[in-house]
Amino acid sequence: MIIGILGRKVGMTQIYQEDGTAVPVTVIEAGPCHVLQIRTKERDGYEAIQLGFLDKPRRLATRAERGHVAKKMESKRAKRRQALGIPIPPKAGCEPKRFIREFRGSVEGHEVGQEIRVDIFKDVPAVDVIGITKGRGFAGVMKRHGFAGQRASHGVKKVHRHMGGTGCSAFPSRVIKGKRMPGHYGNQRCTIRNLKVVGIDTEKNLLLVKGAVPGPKGGFLMIRKTNKVG
Amino acid sequence: MSQDLIRHVEQKYLKSDPPQFEIGDTVEVHTRIVEGNKERVQVFIGTVIARSGGGTREMFTVRRIVQGEGVERKFPLHSPNVLKVVVRRHGKVRRAKLYYLRDRVGKATRLKERFKRKKEKVQVAGEEELNNTNNTQTQEPATAGAE
């Protein structure tokens, strides 16, 4: 059984515990998701479930996307395969989905078309949240790596936010690989592990986790039971 | 839409009857303080100079002068640790943030208080007895809090 769901970041707020401490929480709209496909060892070489989150209007979905979820869709290929007696793989029979991701793990107890709701996290103490961080474009070293920059005065001219030296001199006469420099920052996959589950709202499909998660409000997220041990 | 969801989440943690006061009011803020396993109530008296934030994050700032030094404390309005806020006197003010009080010392702040007194006489007669009862109750913790 895989404990994972897809969702969307709603935003952050704070809630109070009974002893008066304020807990910063991120509200995640998690699910409901449909299982669109099941990956098996025999067929795909690994085990996973494929989940889909949020409906995509049929007019915007490609034919492939529609065929991926539709129980029955006429096509030459389908007819040909039918004539050859190849069974049609099980389909979810739901609307095309906007956000589709796979979760690996034992697929026992899952079936195509199954609906996954946020209540699977009922007894889960902590989760991992995977998202795409906010893109910052081409960023300098101060923003990207937290360098200190240079002085405001004492002869520093036009290089206040630059990095300092990049390494050694005559030996080795080159810059060491991996030297942190300006470049593209953000807009990359990021996993935040072991976020405490603070609350669940099954009615509105909300999941509350303590702390921040990557990405902007409205950004898509993968949430799974944490794989952190201890 | 997302704001609605956040409001929905916060709903449960908001006080059903949040303390009522206005900017410029002189208030007693009763806060619960836990020391080890002992609990006591501390009272902070001062002028409300600002309110900020919304939902569960709403805060208010109370300013007073202690031994010639300005002291400001910011309280979360909906925190369970803020037990109650008693309004001692209303202030007559014309803006939402009274940060200008920070630049004033002694007489200047007193001048403002005189404005309040004037307003109080005109506006709240029924409030008087309410304040009196509260004052007698909180006399002791008030001194404790000032220490």
Side-chain angles (χ1 to χ4, degrees):
Chain A
M1 190 80 182
I2 297 165
I3 297 186
I5 204 168
L6 303 178
R8 185 173 210 182
K9 178 165 161 182
V10 175
M12 289 192 74
T13 180
Q14 68 180 29
I15 59 174
Y16 293 104
Q17 281 174 345
E18 272 165 35
D19 63 348
T21 44
V23 183
V25 294
T26 305
V27 183
I28 300 170
E29 191 185 358
C33 292
H34 283 93
V35 177
L36 302 185
Q37 205 175 20
I38 288 182
R39 303 277 186 199
T40 56
K41 202 111 200 170
E42 304 83 61
R43 210 175 82 101
D44 308 288
Y46 66 97
E47 292 202 332
I49 53 168
Q50 188 184 73
L51 297 185
F53 174 57
L54 285 187
D55 292 346
K56 190 181 207 173
R58 287 187 187 186
R59 68 190 157 78
L60 296 180
T62 63
R63 197 170 156 78
E65 283 170 334
R66 278 181 281 144
H68 189 54
V69 293
K71 277 244 158 78
K72 189 170 159 46
M73 203 155 133
E74 292 291 328
S75 73
K76 274 188 214 158
R77 182 173 177 268
K79 269 181 203 155
R80 216 162 46 226
R81 285 170 76 88
Q82 210 174 0
L84 287 170
I86 301 167
I88 306 165
K91 297 291 173 72
C94 58
E95 290 297 306
K97 296 296 178 182
R98 274 181 70 176
F99 183 59
I100 299 170
R101 288 292 180 274
E102 285 183 8
F103 286 94
R104 289 179 81 146
S106 165
V107 296
E108 225 170 275
H110 290 292
E111 56 182 42
V112 172
Q114 177 193 7
E115 198 183 45
I116 291 186
R117 290 185 162 273
V118 71
D119 52 18
I120 55 166
F121 289 108
K122 220 170 356 191
D123 302 318
V124 175
V127 292
D128 295 342
V129 179
I130 302 162
I132 306 286
T133 57
K134 281 183 186 172
R136 284 131 175 123
F138 194 100
V141 286
M142 287 182 72
K143 186 188 275 281
R144 191 173 184 221
H145 301 298
F147 283 13
Q150 294 180 36
R151 304 169 97 170
S153 66
H154 287 273
V156 176
K157 216 171 182 185
K158 297 179 181 171
V159 291
H160 308 285
R161 292 184 62 87
H162 284 220
M163 60 195 296
T166 51
C168 324
S169 180
F171 178 78
S173 287
R174 62 182 172 87
V175 176
I176 290 164
K177 270 190 183 174
K179 174 76 198 133
R180 293 179 294 171
M181 287 192 179
H184 186 264
Y185 179 39
N187 193 25
Q188 61 170 2
R189 183 184 156 112
C190 172
T191 307
I192 307 286
R193 291 172 75 198
N194 213 16
L195 292 171
K196 242 185 237 156
V197 175
V198 179
I200 283 172
D201 187 331
T202 46
E203 211 171 287
K204 298 237 172 192
N205 298 309
L206 298 179
L207 178 69
L208 270 59
V209 297
K210 182 180 173 183
V213 305
K217 288 174 195 171
F220 289 122
L221 302 168
M222 288 171 79
I223 305 120
R224 63 159 189 243
K225 184 182 171 182
T226 187
N227 57 14
K228 195 155 186 163
V229 182
Chain B
M1 193 205 74
S2 63
Q3 279 307 305
D4 289 345
L5 289 176
I6 287 188
R7 225 169 283 142
H8 171 80
V9 169
E10 287 179 346
Q11 203 65 48
K12 216 167 26 173
Y13 299 93
L14 296 177
K15 284 178 182 169
S16 51
D17 52 339
Q20 299 290 326
F21 57 87
E22 275 161 39
I23 306 293
D25 289 359
T26 303
V27 293
E28 291 170 7
V29 186
H30 296 242
T31 48
R32 186 175 63 192
I33 291 193
V34 182
E35 287 164 335
N37 42 18
K38 264 196 288 181
E39 232 184 63
R40 64 186 184 85
V41 175
Q42 195 183 62
V43 180
F44 187 84
I45 302 167
T47 316
V48 180
I49 63 164
R51 272 174 97 137
S52 62
T56 53
R57 289 149 298 169
E58 185 162 356
M59 311 276 279
F60 63 97
T61 311
V62 180
R63 180 182 172 87
R64 70 172 297 186
I65 306 290
V66 180
Q67 293 169 355
E69 191 67 37
V71 174
E72 280 179 20
R73 275 191 73 178
K74 210 168 177 183
F75 298 95
L77 189 70
H78 291 282
S79 167
N81 280 353
V82 174
L83 299 175
K84 62 175 176 178
V85 177
V86 180
V87 178
R88 280 197 161 181
R89 136 205 304 178
H90 294 293
K92 183 181 177 188
V93 290
R94 304 185 69 163
R95 53 211 70 218
K97 306 276 192 262
L98 308 183
Y99 295 143
Y100 64 86
L101 289 182
R102 290 171 177 170
D103 304 327
R104 299 195 176 178
V105 272
K107 246 184 198 169
T109 48
R110 247 193 294 160
L111 200 98
K112 201 188 133 283
E113 282 174 357
R114 228 183 287 144
F115 274 122
K116 282 187 208 164
R117 213 167 288 146
K118 196 165 142 197
K119 173 111 184 187
E120 187 185 35
K121 273 178 195 160
V122 183
Q123 203 188 26
V124 277
E127 201 99 11
E128 202 67 35
E129 56 180 37
L130 197 143
N131 277 346
N132 285 340
T133 51
N134 279 329
N135 280 349
T136 49
Q137 274 176 2
T138 55
Q139 212 44 247
E140 221 168 314
T143 49
E147 274 171 22

